[in-house]
Amino acid sequence: EDSFSFDTEKFSLLKQRIERSTKICLLSHTAPDGDAVGSVCGLCDALRSAYPEKDVQMILPNAIPRIVADLPLAKEVLIHHNGTTNQEAERVLLDADLICCLDFQSPKRVGNLLAPILTKSKAPKILIDHHLYPEENFFELSFSFPGMSSTAELVYHCLQGMGLASAITPNCAQSLLCGIITDTGCFSYQSESPRVFCVVADLLSCGANKTLLIDQIFHRNTTGQVKLRGYVLDRKLQLIPEIGAAYFVLEREELESFGVSDSDTEGFVNEPLAIEGIYYSFYIRRRETYLKISLRSSGDRPVNDIATKLFGGGGHKNAAGAEYPNPDEAEKVAQMILEEIRNRKKI
Ligand code: 5GP
Ligand code: MN
Protein backbone atom coordinates (compact mmCIF):
# COMPACT_ATOMS: atom_id res chain seq x y z
CA GLU A 1 0.00 0.00 0.00
CA ASP A 2 2.96 2.25 0.54
CA SER A 3 3.91 3.25 -2.95
CA PHE A 4 1.51 3.33 -5.84
CA SER A 5 2.63 2.79 -9.33
CA PHE A 6 0.84 5.43 -11.29
CA ASP A 7 0.22 4.75 -14.94
CA THR A 8 1.48 7.89 -16.68
CA GLU A 9 -0.34 6.82 -19.84
CA LYS A 10 -3.67 6.97 -17.99
CA PHE A 11 -2.95 10.47 -16.71
CA SER A 12 -2.37 11.55 -20.32
CA LEU A 13 -5.68 9.98 -21.31
CA LEU A 14 -7.41 11.83 -18.49
CA LYS A 15 -5.87 15.09 -19.58
CA GLN A 16 -6.89 14.44 -23.18
CA ARG A 17 -10.46 13.69 -22.07
CA ILE A 18 -10.60 16.91 -20.09
CA GLU A 19 -9.11 19.00 -22.88
CA ARG A 20 -11.60 17.61 -25.40
CA SER A 21 -14.58 18.45 -23.19
CA THR A 22 -16.31 21.77 -22.75
CA LYS A 23 -18.91 21.01 -20.05
CA ILE A 24 -17.37 19.05 -17.22
CA CYS A 25 -19.44 17.86 -14.30
CA LEU A 26 -17.88 16.77 -11.01
CA LEU A 27 -20.08 14.53 -8.90
CA SER A 28 -19.88 12.80 -5.52
CA HIS A 29 -21.96 10.65 -3.19
CA THR A 30 -25.04 11.14 -0.99
CA ALA A 31 -24.51 12.37 2.56
CA PRO A 32 -21.28 13.97 1.33
CA ASP A 33 -18.41 14.06 3.83
CA GLY A 34 -15.31 16.25 3.91
CA ASP A 35 -13.58 14.06 1.34
CA ALA A 36 -16.53 14.14 -1.08
CA VAL A 37 -16.87 17.93 -0.81
CA GLY A 38 -13.09 18.53 -0.65
CA SER A 39 -12.25 16.45 -3.71
CA VAL A 40 -15.08 17.93 -5.80
CA CYS A 41 -14.25 21.53 -4.81
CA GLY A 42 -10.50 20.97 -5.08
CA LEU A 43 -10.65 19.47 -8.56
CA CYS A 44 -13.15 22.10 -9.69
CA ASP A 45 -10.90 24.92 -8.54
CA ALA A 46 -7.86 23.40 -10.28
CA LEU A 47 -9.70 22.75 -13.55
CA ARG A 48 -11.26 26.21 -13.62
CA SER A 49 -7.86 27.76 -13.07
CA ALA A 50 -6.09 25.57 -15.67
CA TYR A 51 -8.92 25.83 -18.23
CA PRO A 52 -10.81 29.08 -17.64
CA GLU A 53 -12.66 28.67 -20.95
CA LYS A 54 -14.35 25.45 -19.84
CA ASP A 55 -17.62 25.17 -17.95
CA VAL A 56 -16.80 23.13 -14.85
CA GLN A 57 -19.71 22.45 -12.48
CA MET A 58 -20.10 20.54 -9.21
CA ILE A 59 -23.09 18.47 -8.13
CA LEU A 60 -23.80 16.74 -4.82
CA PRO A 61 -26.96 14.68 -4.23
CA ASN A 62 -27.76 16.40 -0.94
CA ALA A 63 -26.66 19.09 1.47
CA ILE A 64 -23.08 19.78 2.51
CA PRO A 65 -22.48 19.20 6.23
CA ARG A 66 -22.04 22.36 8.27
CA ILE A 67 -18.42 21.61 9.18
CA VAL A 68 -17.23 21.82 5.57
CA ALA A 69 -19.73 24.40 4.33
CA ASP A 70 -17.08 27.13 4.53
CA LEU A 71 -14.68 25.46 2.12
CA PRO A 72 -13.76 27.57 -0.89
CA LEU A 73 -16.28 26.88 -3.68
CA ALA A 74 -18.67 24.94 -1.39
CA LYS A 75 -21.37 27.55 -2.00
CA GLU A 76 -21.10 27.01 -5.75
CA VAL A 77 -21.93 23.32 -5.54
CA LEU A 78 -25.35 22.50 -7.02
CA ILE A 79 -27.20 20.49 -4.39
CA HIS A 80 -29.60 18.18 -6.21
CA HIS A 81 -32.09 17.59 -3.44
CA ASN A 82 -32.50 19.72 -0.37
CA GLY A 83 -36.19 19.50 0.40
CA THR A 84 -36.95 20.23 -3.23
CA THR A 85 -35.35 19.02 -6.42
CA ASN A 86 -32.87 21.31 -8.14
CA GLN A 87 -33.66 21.16 -11.86
CA GLU A 88 -30.49 23.02 -12.75
CA ALA A 89 -28.39 20.23 -11.23
CA GLU A 90 -30.23 17.68 -13.41
CA ARG A 91 -29.74 19.80 -16.51
CA VAL A 92 -26.01 20.25 -15.80
CA LEU A 93 -25.59 16.51 -15.32
CA LEU A 94 -27.49 15.65 -18.52
CA ASP A 95 -25.70 18.34 -20.58
CA ALA A 96 -22.19 17.47 -19.41
CA ASP A 97 -19.83 16.02 -21.99
CA LEU A 98 -17.60 14.59 -19.26
CA ILE A 99 -18.58 13.37 -15.81
CA CYS A 100 -15.97 12.84 -13.11
CA CYS A 101 -17.23 10.57 -10.34
CA LEU A 102 -15.34 11.30 -7.15
CA ASP A 103 -15.24 9.35 -3.88
CA PHE A 104 -17.76 6.67 -4.86
CA GLN A 105 -17.45 3.48 -6.83
CA SER A 106 -20.93 2.62 -8.03
CA PRO A 107 -23.69 4.76 -9.56
CA LYS A 108 -26.01 3.59 -6.73
CA ARG A 109 -24.04 5.76 -4.31
CA VAL A 110 -25.42 9.01 -5.74
CA GLY A 111 -28.85 8.05 -4.42
CA ASN A 112 -32.06 6.89 -6.06
CA LEU A 113 -32.93 10.32 -7.47
CA LEU A 114 -29.65 11.03 -9.29
CA ALA A 115 -28.54 7.47 -10.12
CA PRO A 116 -31.05 7.05 -13.01
CA ILE A 117 -29.91 10.38 -14.51
CA LEU A 118 -26.24 9.47 -14.16
CA THR A 119 -26.91 6.10 -15.74
CA LYS A 120 -28.89 7.66 -18.59
CA SER A 121 -26.17 10.19 -19.46
CA LYS A 122 -24.14 9.27 -22.51
CA ALA A 123 -21.13 11.34 -21.44
CA PRO A 124 -17.94 9.44 -20.69
CA LYS A 125 -17.56 8.82 -16.98
CA ILE A 126 -14.25 8.97 -15.16
CA LEU A 127 -13.80 7.29 -11.79
CA ILE A 128 -11.49 8.92 -9.23
CA ASP A 129 -11.96 7.00 -6.00
CA HIS A 130 -10.48 4.99 -3.14
CA HIS A 131 -13.30 2.53 -2.34
CA LEU A 132 -13.01 -1.22 -2.86
CA TYR A 133 -14.80 -3.04 -5.68
CA PRO A 134 -15.40 -0.28 -8.22
CA GLU A 135 -18.00 -0.95 -10.90
CA GLU A 136 -15.26 -0.76 -13.52
CA ASN A 137 -17.40 -1.24 -16.62
CA PHE A 138 -19.57 1.77 -15.80
CA PHE A 139 -16.53 4.02 -16.23
CA GLU A 140 -14.58 4.78 -19.38
CA LEU A 141 -11.44 5.52 -17.42
CA SER A 142 -10.86 4.59 -13.83
CA PHE A 143 -8.46 5.73 -11.15
CA SER A 144 -9.31 3.39 -8.31
CA PHE A 145 -6.85 3.24 -5.42
CA PRO A 146 -8.39 1.60 -2.35
CA GLY A 147 -5.17 2.01 -0.35
CA MET A 148 -5.15 5.78 -0.81
CA SER A 149 -5.86 7.93 2.26
CA SER A 150 -8.65 9.84 0.56
CA THR A 151 -10.05 10.74 -2.82
CA ALA A 152 -8.66 14.22 -2.24
CA GLU A 153 -5.12 12.80 -2.10
CA LEU A 154 -5.83 10.93 -5.33
CA VAL A 155 -7.03 14.16 -6.97
CA TYR A 156 -3.67 15.67 -5.98
CA HIS A 157 -1.80 12.81 -7.70
CA CYS A 158 -4.02 13.13 -10.78
CA LEU A 159 -3.27 16.86 -11.03
CA GLN A 160 0.45 16.19 -10.64
CA GLY A 161 0.23 13.32 -13.14
CA MET A 162 -1.45 15.57 -15.71
CA GLY A 163 1.24 18.22 -15.27
CA LEU A 164 -1.24 20.60 -13.65
CA ALA A 165 0.71 21.22 -10.43
CA SER A 166 0.52 24.95 -11.05
CA ALA A 167 -3.30 24.73 -10.94
CA ILE A 168 -3.14 23.79 -7.25
CA THR A 169 -4.18 27.21 -6.00
CA PRO A 170 -4.46 28.00 -2.28
CA ASN A 171 -8.22 27.28 -2.52
CA CYS A 172 -7.62 23.97 -4.26
CA ALA A 173 -5.00 23.02 -1.66
CA GLN A 174 -7.41 23.91 1.14
CA SER A 175 -10.15 21.68 -0.28
CA LEU A 176 -7.80 18.76 -0.86
CA LEU A 177 -6.32 19.01 2.61
CA CYS A 178 -9.87 18.99 4.00
CA GLY A 179 -10.49 15.63 2.29
CA ILE A 180 -7.26 14.15 3.64
CA ILE A 181 -7.87 15.35 7.20
CA THR A 182 -11.48 14.10 7.14
CA ASP A 183 -10.77 10.64 5.78
CA THR A 184 -7.76 9.97 7.98
CA GLY A 185 -9.49 11.18 11.15
CA CYS A 186 -6.82 13.87 11.35
CA PHE A 187 -4.03 11.38 10.53
CA SER A 188 -5.25 8.70 12.95
CA TYR A 189 -5.80 6.05 10.27
CA GLN A 190 -5.31 5.33 6.58
CA SER A 191 -2.25 7.57 6.64
CA GLU A 192 0.57 5.19 7.50
CA SER A 193 2.48 6.02 4.34
CA PRO A 194 5.05 8.84 4.33
CA ARG A 195 3.56 9.66 0.92
CA VAL A 196 0.47 11.18 2.58
CA PHE A 197 2.68 13.58 4.53
CA CYS A 198 4.64 14.56 1.42
CA VAL A 199 1.32 15.45 -0.22
CA VAL A 200 0.27 17.41 2.87
CA ALA A 201 3.61 19.23 2.93
CA ASP A 202 3.11 20.26 -0.68
CA LEU A 203 -0.49 21.35 -0.06
CA LEU A 204 0.78 23.55 2.77
CA SER A 205 3.39 25.03 0.40
CA CYS A 206 0.57 25.70 -2.05
CA GLY A 207 -1.21 27.76 0.58
CA ALA A 208 -3.53 25.44 2.53
CA ASN A 209 -4.42 26.67 6.01
CA LYS A 210 -4.33 23.64 8.34
CA THR A 211 -5.23 25.52 11.51
CA LEU A 212 -8.39 26.91 9.93
CA LEU A 213 -9.42 23.47 8.67
CA ILE A 214 -8.90 21.77 12.04
CA ASP A 215 -10.93 24.54 13.59
CA GLN A 216 -13.77 24.17 11.06
CA ILE A 217 -13.87 20.38 11.12
CA PHE A 218 -13.33 19.65 14.82
CA HIS A 219 -14.04 22.78 16.83
CA ARG A 220 -17.38 23.91 15.50
CA ASN A 221 -19.75 21.47 17.11
CA THR A 222 -23.04 22.89 18.32
CA THR A 223 -23.82 22.64 22.02
CA GLY A 224 -26.46 20.06 21.07
CA GLN A 225 -23.87 17.93 19.30
CA VAL A 226 -21.51 17.90 22.26
CA LYS A 227 -24.36 17.17 24.68
CA LEU A 228 -25.75 14.43 22.43
CA ARG A 229 -22.28 12.87 22.36
CA GLY A 230 -22.30 12.86 26.17
CA TYR A 231 -25.80 11.37 26.22
CA VAL A 232 -24.76 8.63 23.78
CA LEU A 233 -21.69 7.67 25.79
CA ASP A 234 -23.47 7.89 29.14
CA ARG A 235 -26.86 6.39 28.34
CA LYS A 236 -26.92 4.67 24.99
CA LEU A 237 -23.64 2.82 24.62
CA GLN A 238 -23.87 -0.97 24.67
CA LEU A 239 -20.57 -2.62 25.52
CA ILE A 240 -19.77 -6.24 24.72
CA PRO A 241 -16.18 -6.46 26.02
CA GLU A 242 -15.91 -10.24 25.48
CA ILE A 243 -15.79 -9.61 21.75
CA GLY A 244 -14.26 -6.14 21.88
CA ALA A 245 -17.41 -4.49 20.50
CA ALA A 246 -19.61 -1.50 21.30
CA TYR A 247 -22.66 -0.07 19.60
CA PHE A 248 -25.53 2.36 19.98
CA VAL A 249 -28.88 3.00 18.36
CA LEU A 250 -30.32 6.50 18.09
CA GLU A 251 -33.96 7.30 17.40
CA ARG A 252 -34.96 10.25 15.28
CA GLU A 253 -36.66 11.86 18.30
CA GLU A 254 -33.44 11.65 20.31
CA LEU A 255 -31.54 13.50 17.58
CA GLU A 256 -34.34 16.06 17.36
CA SER A 257 -34.44 16.66 21.11
CA PHE A 258 -30.80 17.78 20.90
CA GLY A 259 -31.46 19.73 17.71
CA VAL A 260 -28.92 17.63 15.83
CA SER A 261 -29.28 16.36 12.27
CA ASP A 262 -28.26 12.89 11.16
CA SER A 263 -25.24 14.21 9.23
CA ASP A 264 -24.02 16.04 12.32
CA THR A 265 -23.58 12.74 14.22
CA GLU A 266 -20.92 11.63 11.72
CA GLY A 267 -17.97 11.28 14.13
CA PHE A 268 -19.80 9.71 17.09
CA VAL A 269 -19.26 6.15 15.96
CA ASN A 270 -15.49 6.51 16.35
CA GLU A 271 -15.78 7.44 20.01
CA PRO A 272 -16.13 3.92 21.54
CA LEU A 273 -12.83 2.91 19.90
CA ALA A 274 -11.13 5.18 22.46
CA ILE A 275 -11.99 2.57 25.12
CA GLU A 276 -9.20 0.09 25.79
CA GLY A 277 -10.21 -3.35 24.57
CA ILE A 278 -12.90 -2.05 22.19
CA TYR A 279 -11.96 -2.71 18.57
CA TYR A 280 -15.34 -2.67 16.84
CA SER A 281 -17.96 0.05 17.00
CA PHE A 282 -21.21 0.50 15.16
CA TYR A 283 -24.06 2.98 15.12
CA ILE A 284 -27.59 2.39 13.89
CA ARG A 285 -30.15 5.12 13.25
CA ARG A 286 -33.53 5.30 11.61
CA ARG A 287 -34.00 7.23 8.41
CA GLU A 288 -37.32 7.62 6.59
CA THR A 289 -37.88 4.07 5.44
CA TYR A 290 -34.72 2.26 6.41
CA LEU A 291 -31.93 1.89 8.94
CA LYS A 292 -28.53 3.44 8.31
CA ILE A 293 -25.61 1.53 9.78
CA SER A 294 -22.09 2.89 10.32
CA LEU A 295 -19.30 0.51 11.26
CA ARG A 296 -15.78 1.29 12.49
CA SER A 297 -12.87 -0.82 13.69
CA SER A 298 -9.21 -0.55 14.52
CA GLY A 299 -6.26 -2.54 13.24
CA ASP A 300 -6.56 -5.59 11.03
CA ARG A 301 -10.27 -6.17 11.64
CA PRO A 302 -12.18 -5.44 8.46
CA VAL A 303 -15.74 -4.20 8.77
CA ASN A 304 -16.44 -3.52 5.09
CA ASP A 305 -16.86 -7.24 4.50
CA ILE A 306 -19.34 -7.40 7.41
CA ALA A 307 -21.33 -4.59 5.77
CA THR A 308 -21.21 -6.36 2.42
CA LYS A 309 -21.97 -9.87 3.67
CA LEU A 310 -24.88 -8.97 5.94
CA PHE A 311 -26.44 -5.98 4.20
CA GLY A 312 -24.90 -5.50 0.75
CA GLY A 313 -23.13 -2.35 1.94
CA GLY A 314 -19.42 -1.58 1.77
CA GLY A 315 -16.70 0.94 2.46
CA HIS A 316 -13.15 0.74 3.72
CA LYS A 317 -11.47 -1.82 5.93
CA ASN A 318 -11.92 0.23 9.13
CA ALA A 319 -14.90 2.40 8.13
CA ALA A 320 -17.91 1.02 6.37
CA GLY A 321 -21.65 1.51 6.09
CA ALA A 322 -24.85 -0.07 4.91
CA GLU A 323 -28.60 0.32 4.79
CA TYR A 324 -31.19 -2.10 6.09
CA PRO A 325 -34.71 -1.98 4.62
CA ASN A 326 -36.80 -2.47 7.77
CA PRO A 327 -36.56 0.58 10.08
CA ASP A 328 -38.12 -1.31 13.01
CA GLU A 329 -35.43 -3.96 13.32
CA ALA A 330 -32.50 -2.06 14.82
CA GLU A 331 -31.96 -4.57 17.60
CA LYS A 332 -32.07 -7.50 15.18
CA VAL A 333 -29.48 -5.73 13.01
CA ALA A 334 -27.28 -5.18 16.07
CA GLN A 335 -27.44 -8.86 16.98
CA MET A 336 -26.59 -9.87 13.40
CA ILE A 337 -23.46 -7.71 13.48
CA LEU A 338 -22.43 -8.91 16.95
CA GLU A 339 -22.85 -12.51 15.84
CA GLU A 340 -20.64 -11.87 12.84
CA ILE A 341 -17.95 -10.27 15.03
CA ARG A 342 -18.23 -13.14 17.54
CA ASN A 343 -17.55 -15.62 14.74
CA ARG A 344 -14.30 -13.96 13.81
CA LYS A 345 -11.19 -15.42 15.33
CA LYS A 346 -9.26 -12.30 16.03
CA ILE A 347 -10.54 -9.90 18.65
P1 5GP B 1 -20.26 6.36 7.10
O1 5GP B 1 -20.37 5.42 8.25
O2 5GP B 1 -19.37 7.51 7.41
O3 5GP B 1 -21.57 6.73 6.52
O4 5GP B 1 -19.54 5.54 5.95
C1 5GP B 1 -18.26 4.98 6.11
C2 5GP B 1 -17.79 4.43 4.79
O5 5GP B 1 -18.65 3.39 4.35
C3 5GP B 1 -17.77 5.46 3.70
O6 5GP B 1 -16.51 5.40 3.07
C4 5GP B 1 -18.84 5.08 2.73
O7 5GP B 1 -18.40 5.19 1.43
C5 5GP B 1 -19.13 3.63 3.04
N1 5GP B 1 -20.59 3.45 3.07
C6 5GP B 1 -21.46 4.05 3.89
N2 5GP B 1 -22.72 3.65 3.63
C7 5GP B 1 -22.65 2.76 2.63
C8 5GP B 1 -23.63 1.99 1.90
O8 5GP B 1 -24.83 2.03 2.16
N3 5GP B 1 -23.14 1.20 0.90
C9 5GP B 1 -21.82 1.12 0.61
N4 5GP B 1 -21.43 0.31 -0.40
N5 5GP B 1 -20.88 1.82 1.26
C10 5GP B 1 -21.27 2.64 2.25
MN1 MN C 1 -13.36 9.24 0.89
Side-chain angles (χ1 to χ4, degrees), residues 1 6 21 45 72 85 124 147 152 177 185 199 218 230 246 303 306 310 320 331 336:
E1 286 195 0
F6 294 115
S21 310
D45 191 87
T85 300
L177 185 56
V199 172
F218 300 105
V303 284
I306 298 181
L310 298 180
E331 204 41 50
M336 286 167 76

Side-chain angles (χ1 to χ4, degrees), residues 33 35 103 130-131 151 183 316:
D33 57 7
D35 191 33
D103 202 39
H130 69 142
H131 292 87
T151 298
D183 266 26
H316 311 283

